[in-house]
Amino acid sequence: MKLKLNPFPALLAVMALTACGTQAVPVSADQTHAPPTSLATLAQQVVDAGAPGVIVRVDDGRGKVVEIARQAPWTRADHTMAASDRFRMGSNTKTMVATVVLQLVAEHRVRLTDPVEKWLTGLIPNGNAITLRMLLNHTSGLFNYTFDPEVLRAFTGQDTRAWTPRELIAAGVRHDPMFAPGAGYSYSNTNYVALGLIAEKATGRHLDDLIRARITRPLGLTDTYLVTGADTPRTRGLAHGYEPDAARIGPLLPPGVPAGTAFAGPARAAGYVDTTTINASTEWAAGGMISSARDWARFDRALLSGRLLPAALLKEMRTTVAEETEFPNRRYGLGLEQVTTPCGTVWGHNGQVPGYSGETYTDATGRRTVAVLTTTIFGLAVPKAGAANKALVDAAVCAMLD
């Protein structure tokens, strides 16, 4: 999932949170290289600014892997963070789902020009005019179901109802489309739930089975799996996620989110609630992957180096359209973002689900990788924390690109 939280917090209406005291957490014992002081300091500054925790992993492709974990002391009663922890990956999931779909294109089971109606008969209005390519690059015009009031209650944990993928699509299409198919760009989780159903229809297999057989098992990704249905994430080895409580979150929400929206979960210190096991049924193909920084780096390397897709389809994946004007440094391909940073261009995605924000990138060859995984979404809407996190991401990308 991705809530399109603006990465420049000054553009949001914000409310200051009282920063809690922090203490550095030792880096995992099996790291291969001591972290540069600058990255370690920046990671600590994110926590000092109020974020519950952060994981950083940088591989510059020359055998020097940096792994850092930092957390606020009050979070230790729930879990002691390590750089090897599992993490809810949110919309990074879309890159993996897009890879499966493009593999099916390579096998001539589906085509990028196929209309949605061919595979999901009667499920999506005007489905004859929407192609798989439009779903993949968010040019379908379909409304983002996450902002449907009923779905939003489940996404925030206020409602424990388990949503099915077809119900999520129905919630999206009961709203008017944003524009005619192919006439613009608008990020929508509805697109990727539809793609998950199409992959299942084309193969006769469940999406989690397809991801396991085609990606996680061949690559040896032992920490990576898709949460499906009413299942809750397995908490062993999973970093805990947190969001500001109801008393603090209102001014941090982006425009358009209904007043009174708040996350459910056990109360924690510093005005947070623990959202680790919140209702995950609204995510699935749009944001339901669990992984680790190490596993995701292996996936990114395999994808961008050409191991998972033929060259022609990797080129299609990297054929981009402009994202909204508020993100002038980002362009969207087929489940893959092209991001211009202060140190160069990278490829990857970002993602947000309750309690988790992640950015994972690689260079154009897949040789170098970076991940910054932070255990909150709206804790980063506080200007000080958001600015510290952006500084950390920029520095980590620069370290990756050397």
Side-chain angles (χ1 to χ4, degrees):
M1 308 286 271
K2 187 159 69 170
L3 287 179
K4 299 196 298 183
L5 179 65
N6 198 304
F8 305 103
L11 299 180
L12 295 172
V14 296
M15 174 180 69
L17 288 176
T18 301
C20 60
T22 57
Q23 182 176 341
V25 175
V27 184
S28 56
D30 56 347
Q31 74 172 48
T32 58
H33 184 71
T37 301
S38 58
L39 279 182
T41 299
L42 288 169
Q44 186 61 47
Q45 288 174 355
V46 173
V47 177
D48 290 342
V54 63
I55 292 169
V56 183
R57 187 180 194 276
V58 179
D59 183 350
D60 65 4
R62 297 183 299 174
K64 298 188 298 183
V65 178
V66 172
E67 293 183 326
I68 302 166
R70 296 289 186 269
Q71 71 185 120
W74 60 264
T75 67
R76 291 186 183 181
D78 292 323
H79 175 73
T80 300
M81 284 183 66
S84 58
D85 277 351
R86 292 173 176 167
F87 199 88
R88 294 180 68 184
M89 299 302 294
S91 279
N92 291 282
T93 300
K94 291 179 173 66
T95 307
M96 204 166 272
V97 171
T99 300
V100 169
V101 171
L102 290 171
Q103 288 176 339
L104 297 179
V105 172
E107 297 163 11
H108 307 291
R109 298 196 190 196
V110 302
R111 296 180 301 174
L112 291 174
T113 55
D114 281 348
V116 172
E117 183 68 13
K118 175 180 178 179
W119 296 102
L120 304 178
T121 305
L123 190 60
I124 296 177
N126 203 22
N128 276 319
I130 299 172
T131 66
L132 269 63
R133 183 188 294 277
M134 293 176 190
L135 296 177
L136 285 161
N137 67 7
H138 297 295
T139 60
S140 71
L142 292 174
F143 180 84
N144 186 350
Y145 69 75
T146 308
F147 291 102
D148 176 85
E150 289 186 36
V151 178
L152 187 61
R153 281 183 54 79
F155 179 78
T156 58
Q158 300 294 336
D159 182 358
T160 58
R161 167 189 171 185
W163 288 72
T164 68
R166 287 179 173 266
E167 289 172 337
L168 294 173
I169 290 178
V173 301
R174 66 181 171 223
H175 297 266
D176 290 338
M178 309 299 289
F179 44 78
Y185 171 93
S186 184
Y187 190 92
S188 177
N189 291 313
T190 310
N191 293 322
Y192 274 75
V193 171
L195 287 165
L197 289 175
I198 290 169
E200 291 190 336
K201 185 72 176 291
T203 62
R205 300 181 66 178
H206 293 302
L207 181 62
D208 55 324
D209 290 335
L210 291 171
I211 291 172
R212 187 181 309 112
R214 291 170 172 270
I215 299 175
T216 64
R217 188 179 297 143
L219 297 182
L221 308 185
T222 57
D223 291 323
T224 304
Y225 65 95
L226 181 69
V227 178
T228 62
D231 293 344
T232 56
R234 299 190 289 269
T235 56
R236 183 175 182 180
L238 179 66
H240 278 237
Y242 306 89
E243 293 300 339
D245 62 21
R248 296 172 180 265
I249 197 169
L252 305 176
L253 296 171
V257 175
T261 297
F263 291 90
R268 294 293 184 262
Y272 278 98
V273 295
D274 187 335
T275 60
T276 307
T277 59
I278 208 167
N279 189 346
S281 68
T282 64
E283 295 154 19
W284 196 55
M289 292 302 301
I290 301 282
S291 191
S292 64
R294 296 175 186 177
D295 267 13
W296 211 265
R298 185 176 294 181
F299 165 62
D300 276 344
R301 282 196 302 270
L303 177 61
L304 270 294
S305 67
R307 179 175 171 184
L308 295 176
L309 292 174
L313 285 171
L314 185 57
K315 182 179 179 180
E316 292 277 9
M317 195 179 209
R318 293 170 57 173
T319 300
T320 61
V321 296
E323 295 197 30
E324 296 156 333
T325 55
E326 63 180 311
F327 302 117
N329 68 319
R330 291 178 178 269
R331 295 181 62 86
Y332 207 93
L334 305 186
L336 191 68
E337 286 184 291
Q338 180 188 37
V339 184
T340 303
T341 78
C343 289
T345 298
V346 295
W347 295 86
H349 215 289
N350 62 19
Q352 299 157 340
V353 288
Y356 302 85
S357 294
E359 300 194 47
T360 59
Y361 303 115
T362 181
D363 65 7
T365 68
R367 187 172 64 90
R368 299 174 287 188
T369 60
V370 65
V372 177
L373 311 176
T374 312
T375 55
T376 186
I377 302 173
F378 291 102
L380 298 180
V382 178
K384 184 177 179 181
N389 195 71
K390 184 179 186 303
L392 173 61
V393 172
D394 286 347
V397 170
C398 290
M400 174 190 77
L401 296 177
D402 196 27

